[in-house]
Amino acid sequence: MEEWTFENADMSDTVMHRAKKYVDNWEEMKRNHIGCLFWGPVGTGKSFIAGCIANELLKQEVMVKMTNFNTIIDDIFPLADKTEYINALASYQLLIIDDLGVERNSEYALGIIFSVIDRRIRSGRPLIITTNLPLKEIKNETMLDKRRIYDRILEMCTPMYVGGTSKREVIASMKMEKAKTLLNTNRGEEDCE
């Protein structure tokens, strides 16, 4: 993710511009415990935006951790002292959780997610989350365990919609065209179709 930088981004994009302002105002964001919830369809650049924020703050020697709940749950499962791991996550100046909502929905997983989010709030440090979940679904969740998690996220993270077409589909299409060109230029070989 080293190339996920504002220099490599389309800065005419409104959300990308807001992400840059977040970094420019980092001390104020940190002091006021202000985070972001980047939500929207798959492939629209939410992780890229969060990565740009992370990389820019890392350049400024801010301690940032970018991860996801599947990784956290896998890391924490074998540990005897889960609290130590959760406290370590809370100690980063900025914690970024990518792809909220793709993790398992087990009681155990939801308990870990709640603990991480709740501990983060109590740490007084900002949190950034990306998700494909619609904001309406987050706000109107009926399952109590999820509602407790989402309520805390909305308390500390300003929702920002990241829309547009899937950048992954565009990249895949470009790669497919390039592959077709390269594969069709082999000397005298039969077409693979």
Side-chain angles (χ1 to χ4, degrees):
M1 294 187 243
E2 290 176 356
E3 293 181 8
W4 292 9
T5 64
F6 290 116
E7 292 79 24
N8 293 331
D10 175 5
M11 293 310 295
S12 68
D13 178 81
T14 304
V15 179
M16 188 59 76
H17 186 71
R18 288 180 186 152
K20 179 71 168 82
K21 281 189 159 296
Y22 184 88
V23 171
D24 293 344
N25 294 290
W26 168 247
E27 289 302 320
E28 192 72 19
M29 298 299 179
K30 183 173 71 171
R31 189 171 23 263
N32 291 290
H33 325 293
I34 297 172
C36 301
L37 172 65
F38 296 112
W39 67 280
V42 172
T44 54
K46 298 173 297 295
S47 300
F48 179 78
I49 293 167
C52 288
I53 291 171
N55 283 329
E56 190 65 29
L57 289 174
L58 285 168
K59 283 187 219 171
Q60 298 173 25
E61 299 183 2
V62 173
M63 284 183 23
V64 178
K65 171 88 171 174
M66 185 167 175
T67 187
N68 61 57
F69 276 119
N70 281 334
T71 300
I72 291 169
I73 291 165
D74 288 346
D75 287 350
I76 214 168
F77 182 75
L79 299 178
D81 187 358
K82 294 168 180 23
T83 303
E84 183 179 338
Y85 183 92
I86 291 170
N87 286 340
L89 288 175
S91 71
Y92 286 91
Q93 291 173 284
L94 177 62
L95 178 63
I96 300 173
I97 304 289
D98 195 27
D99 274 336
L100 174 73
V102 300
E103 61 281 333
R104 299 175 284 281
N105 263 341
S106 69
E107 187 177 321
Y108 174 79
L110 291 172
I112 295 298
I113 294 166
F114 176 82
S115 295
V116 170
I117 298 296
D118 188 61
R119 180 67 186 96
R120 188 67 193 181
I121 286 174
R122 288 187 283 120
S123 77
R125 293 184 179 95
L127 172 69
I128 290 178
I129 292 188
T130 71
T131 186
N132 299 322
L133 297 172
L135 187 59
K136 186 176 183 178
E137 185 177 319
I138 292 170
K139 288 182 174 182
N140 298 318
E141 178 59 54
T142 57
M143 183 180 177
L144 181 60
D145 289 342
K146 287 184 178 181
R147 195 166 69 225
R148 291 171 63 219
I149 293 165
Y150 298 163
D151 191 55
R152 282 163 174 76
I153 289 169
L154 292 172
E155 175 187 339
M156 63 188 310
C157 298
T158 302
M160 287 185 237
Y161 178 71
V162 182
T165 57
S166 172
K167 290 164 181 50
R168 289 189 194 110
E169 284 180 20
V170 171
I171 291 168
S173 179
M174 289 171 29
K175 285 183 178 183
M176 180 69 80
E177 289 304 313
K178 184 70 169 175
K180 283 180 184 176
T181 301
L182 292 172
L183 294 174
N184 287 335
T185 58
N186 291 338
R187 291 180 285 248
E189 289 187 23
E190 304 247 340
D191 195 5
C192 297
E193 291 182 64

